[in-house]
Amino acid sequence: MISIDPKNIETAKLQGYLQSSVGPRPIAFASTIGVDGIPNLSPFSFFNVFSANPPILIFSPARRVRDNSIKHTLINAEATREVVINVVNYDIVQQTSLASTEYAEGVNEFLKSGLTPIPSDLVKPYRVKESPVQFECKVNEIIALGTEGGAGNLVICEVLKIHIDESVLDENGAIDQHKIDLVSRLGQNWYSRSNQGLFEVPKPLVTLGIGVDAIPNFIKESPVFNGNHLGMLGNIEALPTTEEVSIFVQQNFAVKGVLSSDDQEKVHLEARKYLDNDDVLSAWKVLLAQKK
């Protein structure tokens, strides 16, 4: 067994050990709004429920390890003292991951993730329509845990109103854990699905994904693709070139046959096969070949 003194290890490596050993952790998909009225949406896995009376949720937007900067969510929570915490289930996990991308200030993550903002009743930040449970909260207190990169900031939220999708309730009006299908966070790229176990979602942190808003409508409006598929398609830094698409088609006889059918649904189903095998680049090549 190795023994580690936290003071004698790089913060990034220490964070990796903590996140990989303390889990699975629930995800707070926090919606805030800036003083300029621009919405912000970002997930945080340093999160849990801590009290029922009063109802208290706490999440922690940590200072970035790489440059000690703070996140827009924290800035907004400090300024407006309001937040909506949306829970994350499997149906929106790819879009939630895409929303964690470090987009520039002023970029609306609702647009980038392709999720739907709906008005709250008691606070200004929007709720995520696709989330099965949404908590409208006021921020009671923010406790800074340090001043260096990696230091957390406890955002103590009091729940003012809860919205629950009836589709996740059982016959007694309680939340059915199979129906809600929650996901949680572990270390590295790993997530856990409550009723099925581990799966991976690549981190969209190194580069900026083009976003769901950049996906052509003929793809976004296709019944073949769900929110997770769109989230995967939006989490790519750049589209393949025309030359790359042509080479791919020429080397793949099955794809060439599907494209020759001139059946859009068949083409989309072919692209979905690649997405279901985590091959986003090939899926885009199929779709762009069809567009040609």
Side-chain angles (χ1 to χ4, degrees):
M1 175 175 286
I2 64 171
S3 298
I4 298 170
D5 183 339
K7 296 183 180 64
N8 297 329
I9 187 174
E10 293 181 358
T11 302
K13 193 169 184 179
L14 174 60
Q15 185 179 38
Y17 281 131
L18 291 169
Q19 292 177 331
S20 296
S21 57
V22 181
R25 303 180 304 280
I27 303 169
F29 202 12
S31 168
T32 57
I33 196 164
V35 293
D36 52 6
I38 297 176
N40 183 267
L41 185 64
S42 187
F44 299 91
S45 68
F46 289 179
F47 163 65
N48 220 310
V49 55
F50 287 85
S51 173
N53 186 20
I56 299 293
L57 307 176
I58 301 178
F59 73 100
S60 179
R63 304 179 75 93
R64 295 182 180 91
V65 173
R66 64 179 181 274
D67 60 7
N68 198 25
S69 58
I70 60 175
K71 299 183 178 181
H72 300 137
T73 299
L74 179 61
I75 294 170
N76 292 346
E78 288 175 332
T80 68
R81 317 300 288 191
E82 293 181 340
V83 62
V84 175
I85 295 177
N86 308 272
V87 306
V88 178
N89 66 352
Y90 186 75
D91 288 346
I92 62 170
V93 66
Q94 293 284 352
Q95 290 167 283
T96 302
S97 178
L98 182 56
S100 72
T101 299
E102 299 286 357
Y103 289 110
E105 183 177 1
V107 173
N108 186 341
E109 286 85 3
F110 277 100
L111 292 176
K112 285 296 176 185
S113 65
L115 293 166
T116 309
I118 55 175
S120 297
D121 293 342
L122 302 177
V123 299
K124 291 181 180 178
Y126 295 99
R127 296 180 281 139
V128 175
K129 180 181 179 181
E130 291 82 0
S131 170
V133 182
Q134 308 136 16
F135 301 95
E136 296 187 33
C137 303
K138 67 174 181 178
V139 175
N140 285 350
E141 188 177 1
I142 300 176
I143 302 174
L145 302 179
T147 59
E148 301 300 320
N153 296 273
L154 302 185
V155 182
I156 302 175
C157 306
E158 182 173 345
V159 178
L160 303 178
K161 196 166 190 177
I162 306 173
H163 305 268
I164 304 174
D165 190 326
E166 294 92 338
S167 67
V168 303
L169 299 178
D170 62 20
E171 63 275 9
N172 298 315
I175 293 176
D176 185 311
Q177 293 302 296
H178 292 281
K179 291 180 179 179
I180 196 170
D181 200 10
L182 294 171
V183 298
S184 52
R185 197 74 170 85
L186 292 97
Q188 301 175 45
N189 292 342
W190 290 101
Y191 288 71
S192 178
R193 186 175 180 181
S194 297
N195 56 12
Q196 291 192 24
L198 298 180
F199 65 98
E200 284 189 276
V201 176
K203 290 182 181 180
L205 298 177
V206 178
T207 57
L208 297 181
I210 62 171
V212 173
D213 58 324
I215 299 174
N217 286 335
F218 80 93
I219 299 173
K220 286 192 290 189
E221 295 170 0
S222 171
V224 170
F225 303 116
N226 60 29
N228 278 333
H229 293 132
L230 296 179
M232 295 173 74
L233 289 169
N235 188 24
I236 190 169
E237 183 182 14
L239 297 179
T241 65
T242 301
E243 182 180 2
E244 290 171 333
V245 172
S246 296
I247 293 172
F248 174 81
V249 173
Q250 290 301 318
Q251 294 179 342
N252 195 314
F253 294 108
V255 170
K256 190 184 297 186
V258 171
L259 291 169
S260 66
S261 71
D262 201 29
D263 186 325
Q264 179 169 280
E265 184 176 353
K266 286 184 178 179
V267 175
H268 288 188
L269 287 170
E270 184 68 19
R272 193 176 74 180
K273 290 179 184 177
Y274 287 100
L275 291 174
D276 291 339
N277 285 292
D278 297 322
D279 187 351
V280 179
L281 188 59
S282 293
W284 265 115
K285 290 175 181 178
V286 173
L287 292 169
L288 292 177
Q290 174 209 6
K291 188 179 179 182
K292 290 170 59 181

